Amino acid sequence: MKRYVIIGNGVAATGCIEGIRSVDTDGKITVVSEEKHPVYCRPLISYYLEGKTDLERMNYRPADFYEKNGCNVLYGKKVTKIDNDAKLVLLDDGSRLPFDSVCIATGSSPFVPPFGGLDTVEKKFSFMTLDDTLALEGAIDKNSRVLIIGAGLIGLKCAEGLHGRVESITVCDLADRILSSILDADCAAIVQKCLEENGIKFMLSDTAVGFDHGTAFMKSGREIGFDVLVLAVGVRANISLAKDIGAEVGRGIVVSERMETTVPGIFAAGDCTEGEDISCKKRRVLAILPNAFMQGRCAGVNMAGGDSKFDKAIPMNSIGFFGLHAMTAGSYYTASEGGECYEEKSDGKLKRLYTKDGCLVGFMLIGETERAGIYTSLIRERVPLDTLNFELLKKIPTSAAFLTENRRKIFGGVV
């Protein structure tokens, strides 16, 4: 009987469990979970804060998921080392888990710059986990002035979740626009306007450099008073376990299409990994939920002796703020890089489709995102645009623009 150890208990770990069980129904699966909760849908933490969901509905799988899949979950435990020579996983409580195959699904952790005076701030929080959310919720009231450091996705979803529950919300970021890693200036301006119309205040091209209790000292020289501080500057992949056993790492753990690290028998999946982004053919960390699940399932299948590969990774983001929806995917090439951009723009809406070498390689959609999965499929499958009616697809994402054989290939026979 094979012994599997999965380090982490998020979406990638879920995929790994299901991948293993699709091949091996008898092997022993042990999941080591630092968090004390069953797997939940992490993007829903802001909706919990906003009161749009509850703890039960946040669960990513039913309550009997682990039992039905024959898993032993060790909650509140941390792996300190993988001893690959002895085939043991060592835990912080001194226990040891023998293994035949391991999947590292450790995700990422908040990056906190060395701010001066941060230790004087009593109410300071990250916003990545359910425990972060519960702690933040316990610290706010209707009179709280909240300062959020970071205008990326985590910071802005936190701001939306706090809306209506506190007196004021101010978001600062050193970048000159919000969501700078995924949106260009025009798209960011539309989203920012929506947030501002709902009372969120911004200080861009400026950030905190130090603190003294409830005062933030800004790079610009301004001073901002606050009661609650949220640190959403960024995240870093948790790579130390892989690095310590000699696996290749960059910004993330380097994995093959089989989700295997450079150390045989050691797999990795999810936000801690680094693989090829097929839209730009570069190695990147692609920390998004769909990729995490697919990577985890691929790893599980291969750990159990099956044959699977995940070679269609692209960056994707589907976000919404106060009813305004936005989706992005792929890469955005300029004309100088051999790319072209088709654009449609109207009040509160923007569509940009990026093409290169006869294929769709990326898109940004603000305000109208219906059926955007068709564009995503074009990018993933590298469908030549001369095999379909791209002029129609520019206007409306519809399967009618595809030849019958392409429709079957891309949409699984649905025509």
Side-chain angles (χ1 to χ4, degrees):
M1 180 184 293
K2 289 193 72 172
R3 299 161 299 178
Y4 308 96
V5 175
I6 302 172
I7 306 171
N9 189 28
V11 168
T14 303
C16 188
I17 292 167
E18 294 179 354
I20 290 170
R21 286 295 179 239
S22 71
V23 177
D24 180 355
T25 58
D26 299 318
K28 181 180 179 182
I29 301 175
T30 302
V31 179
V32 184
S33 175
E34 282 195 50
E35 292 190 71
K36 297 180 180 180
H37 309 284
V39 61
Y40 59 92
C41 192
R42 200 175 298 275
L44 293 182
I45 61 174
S46 64
Y47 295 100
Y48 170 80
L49 199 59
E50 200 175 355
K52 289 186 174 179
T53 190
D54 56 36
L55 296 179
E56 185 175 348
R57 287 185 290 170
M58 288 178 65
N59 290 333
Y60 189 64
R61 287 293 185 267
D64 61 355
F65 171 74
Y66 301 107
E67 182 182 355
K68 280 192 171 181
N69 283 281
C71 299
N72 179 31
V73 185
L74 305 178
Y75 289 107
K77 304 295 183 183
K78 183 177 180 178
V79 173
T80 58
K81 182 181 179 181
I82 299 171
D83 186 338
N84 198 37
D85 293 330
K87 297 297 179 184
L88 293 171
V89 169
L90 282 56
L91 306 189
D92 56 355
D93 63 359
S95 58
R96 301 181 174 195
L97 303 175
F99 70 86
D100 296 297
S101 191
V102 166
C103 181
I104 303 172
T106 46
S108 57
S109 297
F111 166 66
V112 180
F115 293 117
L118 186 60
D119 59 331
T120 69
V121 179
E122 180 184 353
K123 296 182 179 180
K124 56 181 180 287
F125 305 91
S126 297
F127 193 68
M128 282 193 66
T129 68
L130 179 55
D131 285 336
D132 291 338
T133 306
L134 296 173
L136 177 58
E137 183 180 44
I140 59 169
D141 60 40
K142 63 181 181 180
N143 298 313
S144 297
R145 299 165 300 160
V146 179
L147 175 62
I148 299 174
I149 312 295
L153 182 57
I154 292 171
L156 296 187
K157 291 306 290 184
C158 182
E160 183 186 39
L162 290 170
H163 178 258
R165 301 193 63 178
V166 297
E167 180 181 308
S168 66
I169 303 167
T170 301
V171 182
C172 68
D173 198 296
L174 195 56
D176 63 356
R177 66 185 188 275
I178 68 171
L179 298 168
S180 59
S181 65
I182 60 174
L183 295 182
D184 61 25
D186 291 338
C187 294
I190 296 173
V191 179
Q192 182 177 335
K193 180 181 177 183
C194 172
L195 289 161
E196 288 175 334
E197 288 173 346
N198 284 275
I200 312 298
K201 292 177 282 189
F202 289 94
M203 297 179 64
L204 301 177
S205 301
D206 199 7
T207 193
V209 293
F211 300 93
D212 183 8
H213 296 87
T215 301
F217 303 106
M218 309 301 290
K219 185 179 181 184
S220 63
R222 295 179 63 184
E223 295 183 9
I224 306 297
F226 65 90
D227 304 300
V228 176
L229 177 67
V230 178
L231 298 164
V233 179
V235 299
R236 287 181 172 171
N238 294 323
I239 62 175
S240 60
L241 290 175
K243 185 177 180 180
D244 289 347
I245 58 171
E248 183 182 356
V249 298
R251 290 183 178 273
I253 302 167
V254 175
V255 290
S256 68
E257 292 179 345
R258 291 172 47 82
M259 293 298 111
E260 193 167 17
T261 70
T262 53
V263 177
I266 306 295
F267 294 76
D271 294 4
C272 62
T273 65
E274 181 177 308
E276 186 184 21
D277 171 2
I278 64 168
S279 68
C280 65
K281 298 180 180 178
K282 294 179 181 178
R283 211 169 65 187
R284 299 172 63 181
V285 174
L286 298 172
I288 57 174
L289 188 148
N291 281 347
F293 178 80
M294 290 185 282
Q295 287 180 330
R297 184 173 177 83
C298 174
V301 169
N302 291 319
M303 289 166 69
D307 185 16
S308 179
K309 66 178 182 177
F310 178 57
D311 59 356
K312 299 186 186 303
I314 60 172
M316 298 183 295
N317 290 278
S318 179
I319 54 181
F321 300 102
F322 303 108
L324 176 67
H325 296 283
M327 283 190 69
T328 69
S331 300
Y332 321 118
Y333 289 97
T334 64
S336 63
E337 296 170 313
E340 296 181 11
C341 177
Y342 168 79
E343 178 180 290
E344 289 182 12
K345 192 174 184 179
S346 59
D347 185 35
K349 296 181 180 181
L350 184 59
K351 174 191 287 187
R352 286 183 173 158
L353 304 178
Y354 295 86
T355 58
K356 185 182 181 185
D357 299 330
C359 293
L360 183 69
V361 292
F363 66 78
M364 293 185 192
L365 305 174
I366 310 293
E368 193 169 309
T369 60
E370 237 180 281
R371 308 197 77 187
I374 289 178
Y375 293 141
T376 305
S377 294
L378 284 176
I379 300 170
R380 281 195 189 279
E381 302 298 332
R382 300 284 298 170
V383 179
L385 298 181
D386 59 8
T387 65
L388 48 82
N389 186 344
F390 189 52
E391 292 303 313
L392 175 59
L393 277 177
K394 286 178 180 178
K395 301 294 182 182
I396 307 170
T398 172
S399 60
F402 296 79
L403 298 174
T404 302
E405 54 267 34
N406 278 342
R407 271 184 270 175
R408 291 197 179 110
K409 175 184 176 184
I410 296 173
F411 304 116
V414 178
V415 296

